[in-house]
Amino acid sequence: MTKETLLMQYQFESLSALKSVANIHQPFKKTFMDGSELTFPVFRLLNRLSQKAYSSISLLYFSISRRLLLILQHKNINVSKTTNLIENFMNLVDRFLHYVSFDTQSDELTHMTPSTPGQMIFAQELEKELRKIGMTEVSLDENGYLMATLPSNTTKNIPVIGFIAHLDTSPDLSGRHVTPRIIKNYDGNDIPLCLEENIILRTEDFPEVKKYIGQDLIVTNGKTLLGADDKAGIAEIISAMEHLIQHPEIKHGKIRVAFTPDEEIGQGPHKFDVKKFGAEWAYTLDGGEIGELEYENFNAAIAKILFKGRNVHPGYAKHKMINSLRIANQYAIMLPRWETPEHTEGYEGFYHLISCEGTVEQTTLTYIIRDHDRDRFERRKKEFEHLVRKINKEFPNCASLEIKDQYYNMREMVEPVMHIVDLASQAMKEVGIVPIVKPVRGGTDGAQLSFMGLPCPNIFAGGHNFHGRYEFVPIQSMEKARDVVIQIARLAAEK
């Protein structure tokens, strides 16, 4: 994000917030000018700051807004609605906009934890923020696992619960220089993301966006992903913890939070210390649209098939050349055409070719294998073995296969403690959401954590079209996710 873009964005949002307050309180019009006088000297100062200072712009905006509230209170203006408006913006939306400025793409090729340095930089920033809002037992280990505690504020014996989100974004598309834009009061039309490259979020291609007419959407500039998966989840959890700290009248037990690296490459829980976390159960905030509540996910594996060929000058290659690229293509078309992500939904599994790299001499195909049913999952892996044998029968010793399981369906670990799903469902109803209980067509850290002894259903974070340039998140969905976390904490204390 360039300096100019950041400054324009925050000037616009600052004025928008101030004008919204002015519209609520007619006596505030003169105070609005006072607020502007406070705001613009700060932005003039920002123009002279070094690039490293820009990650703190949102924090400066926090202080501007808080000072504005003090002016209102000093002038004896009723600020209850104003406080809600500005606090929501500061604590959730602006927090999220700050988080997406960090480049935290994971990379399975580094064989490190975290797999990229940006994740540790982001974790260090969150560590400071958790301490600042009043969380205790804040710890960040050498592998990038960040944990913290909100102590119980009641003498009742209440189970320790946890909330988890992941630091990294998908390696499928760049997460560097993310430039989010807020579409206020979405009108239901196509959304231009990058006109110069004709990148448009078309309602014909993404009809679900029309569910949010009249709401405020955060979208990309069409050149990167947004990072709502899972920085929306992080913002929602921290905002919920801050709300509980500021409202001690809401009784709750001990709450643990954790932010993990490398979820997008299937390694998030690999070095997660369940004993240290110390929760009886937890929830990941890593789901999609508002209302999603999930305790079933894919069984997952990754398969790599290596094809070895033999290169000879093409002019003299008859009966000599073995083209590994052509053999790899032959293998790919032997898999069922309709059992791919673009042709499946619900409980239907698939084979997904995610990478093809090669030359005449050597080609590697990389697939992910997914199915909710364990028996079908095992059969899919057997099919890969069968096709490799078939290829090798025609081209002896040409193909070799490596399959590695990634995670399993958490349903078998969650069903014995279904009360934790019921609790989340009740929390959603308490804030006016109809729960959408359905299987995850993917995986979460919770899948692996459930098999490590920490049952961990998944709750919506609010975003859509993850891992791509058409990703968006409605602000109102993020607010509801935050409220669900608060309600789960409250309801757990009442049981």
Side-chain angles (χ1 to χ4, degrees):
M1 187 180 293
T2 65
K3 177 175 74 172
E4 292 76 13
T5 303
L6 273 171
L7 292 176
M8 289 176 64
Q9 176 179 321
Y10 280 89
Q11 286 172 345
F12 172 78
E13 294 299 343
S14 177
L15 282 175
S16 295
L18 292 168
K19 288 177 181 177
S20 298
V21 174
N23 289 334
I24 293 172
H25 299 288
Q26 291 302 317
F28 175 68
K29 288 190 175 180
K30 182 180 181 302
T31 311
F32 167 69
M33 297 308 299
D34 295 339
S36 299
E37 290 168 6
L38 285 172
T39 303
F40 285 105
V42 175
F43 286 121
R44 284 196 292 272
L45 173 63
L46 290 175
N47 273 310
R48 295 193 291 271
L49 292 178
S50 68
Q51 185 65 34
K52 291 182 180 179
Y54 289 107
S55 65
S56 300
I57 289 179
S58 58
L59 299 178
L60 288 170
Y61 178 63
F62 290 171
S63 11
I64 293 169
S65 301
R66 291 185 188 278
R67 190 168 175 186
L68 176 59
L69 286 174
L70 290 175
I71 293 174
L72 288 169
Q73 291 165 342
H74 179 70
K75 293 179 178 289
N76 295 318
I77 294 174
N78 181 355
V79 297
S80 58
K81 292 182 180 179
T82 307
T83 303
N84 289 335
L85 182 151
I86 294 180
E87 288 294 326
N88 283 343
F89 183 82
M90 287 190 299
N91 293 340
L92 187 55
V93 178
D94 206 56
R95 180 171 272 143
F96 173 71
L97 294 176
H98 177 53
Y99 294 169
V100 300
S101 69
F102 290 84
D103 180 9
T104 60
Q105 283 182 279
S106 47
D107 182 354
E108 66 177 344
L109 299 179
T110 66
H111 304 293
M112 299 172 63
T113 307
S115 63
T116 52
Q119 295 181 70
M120 182 62 84
I121 293 169
F122 183 36
Q124 290 167 344
E125 179 81 1
L126 294 176
E127 179 187 19
K128 295 174 188 175
E129 186 175 1
L130 289 169
R131 295 184 190 280
K132 184 175 181 179
I133 68 172
M135 298 290 281
T136 65
E137 299 177 331
V138 181
S139 66
L140 175 61
D141 70 18
E142 61 186 10
N143 296 308
Y145 290 83
L146 175 61
M147 297 182 182
T149 297
L150 177 60
S152 173
N153 64 358
T154 176
T155 57
K156 291 175 64 177
N157 185 19
I158 300 167
V160 179
I161 63 174
F163 297 96
I164 300 170
H166 62 88
L167 301 163
D168 63 319
T169 57
S170 171
D172 292 346
L173 189 68
S174 173
R176 189 179 184 189
H177 301 313
V178 173
T179 308
R181 180 163 59 97
I182 297 177
I183 307 296
K184 297 283 188 180
N185 192 24
Y186 171 58
D187 60 9
N189 293 318
D190 292 348
I191 301 174
L193 301 177
C194 179
L195 288 177
E196 64 184 3
E197 297 182 22
N198 196 33
I199 299 173
I200 299 172
L201 198 163
R202 301 185 189 279
T203 59
E204 181 181 357
D205 298 326
F206 304 99
E208 67 275 9
V209 71
K210 286 198 168 186
K211 295 179 182 178
Y212 304 102
I213 292 174
Q215 297 190 31
D216 305 322
L217 310 182
I218 304 178
V219 301
T220 75
N221 68 349
K223 298 180 180 180
T224 69
L225 49 68
L226 179 61
D229 179 13
D230 191 23
K231 288 168 183 171
I234 295 174
E236 291 152 6
I237 291 170
I238 294 181
S239 295
M241 295 303 103
E242 185 176 45
H243 182 88
L244 290 170
I245 290 168
Q246 293 174 349
H247 294 272
E249 71 276 10
I250 303 174
K251 299 304 176 185
H252 57 81
K254 181 178 178 179
I255 299 171
R256 291 283 278 163
V257 302
F259 305 122
T260 63
D262 296 330
E263 188 272 351
E264 295 291 358
I265 56 175
Q267 299 173 13
H270 285 193
K271 297 181 180 179
F272 188 98
D273 191 334
V274 171
K275 184 177 179 181
K276 177 183 175 183
F277 191 57
E280 188 168 321
W281 74 84
Y283 302 92
T284 51
L285 267 77
D286 193 19
E289 71 173 304
I290 184 170
E292 284 188 356
L293 173 56
E294 301 152 331
Y295 64 95
E296 298 179 78
N297 59 276
F298 279 136
N299 296 290
I302 187 166
K304 293 189 177 184
I305 311 100
L306 175 65
F307 302 87
K308 291 187 177 180
R310 182 169 61 208
N311 197 15
V312 179
H313 188 291
Y316 307 94
K318 188 173 183 179
H319 302 314
K320 298 177 182 177
M321 178 184 286
I322 300 174
N323 191 331
S324 73
L325 287 163
R326 291 177 59 83
I327 298 171
N329 180 64
Q330 181 177 328
Y331 181 95
I333 63 176
M334 287 194 292
L335 287 166
R337 177 184 174 187
W338 304 110
E339 296 182 22
T340 57
E342 60 267 36
H343 296 115
T344 53
E345 61 184 355
Y347 284 96
E348 297 170 337
F350 57 74
Y351 308 98
H352 180 31
L353 177 61
I354 60 173
S355 174
C356 176
E357 298 177 352
T359 62
V360 172
E361 281 280 346
Q362 182 171 296
T363 299
T364 301
L365 298 182
T366 304
Y367 283 86
I368 58 173
I369 305 168
R370 300 290 188 262
D371 209 299
H372 290 94
D373 182 88
R374 187 64 174 265
D375 289 338
R376 289 199 302 266
F377 173 64
E378 295 299 332
R379 290 200 298 270
R380 288 185 184 280
K381 291 190 291 182
K382 292 291 185 184
E383 180 66 8
F384 270 70
E385 296 172 359
H386 167 69
L387 294 180
V388 165
R389 288 194 298 269
K390 193 171 181 179
I391 287 291
N392 282 334
K393 187 174 181 179
E394 183 176 354
F395 305 97
N397 301 316
C398 168
S400 59
L401 171 66
E402 177 187 351
I403 296 182
K404 182 179 179 181
D405 287 355
Q406 295 173 297
Y407 52 82
Y408 303 108
N409 190 341
M410 69 174 124
R411 177 174 179 166
E412 64 182 277
M413 308 306 295
V414 174
E415 280 189 328
V417 288
M418 276 298 289
H419 67 90
I420 69 178
V421 177
D422 296 336
L423 182 67
S425 178
Q426 183 182 351
M428 289 187 188
K429 293 173 183 175
E430 293 271 345
V431 298
I433 299 171
V434 177
I436 305 171
V437 181
K438 65 178 186 179
V440 184
R441 285 187 61 80
T444 68
D445 281 343
Q448 295 184 59
L449 291 171
S450 293
F451 282 89
M452 293 166 63
L454 181 65
C456 202
N458 190 40
I459 296 172
F460 72 94
H464 288 261
N465 306 329
F466 293 149
H467 300 188
R469 67 187 79 246
Y470 300 101
E471 185 180 1
F472 71 90
V473 60
I475 290 174
Q476 287 79 1
S477 295
M478 292 175 62
E479 292 171 345
K480 287 292 188 181
R482 173 204 58 201
D483 295 345
V484 167
V485 172
I486 294 167
Q487 290 302 315
I488 289 174
R490 181 184 67 81
L491 291 170
E494 294 177 355
K495 296 294 183 182

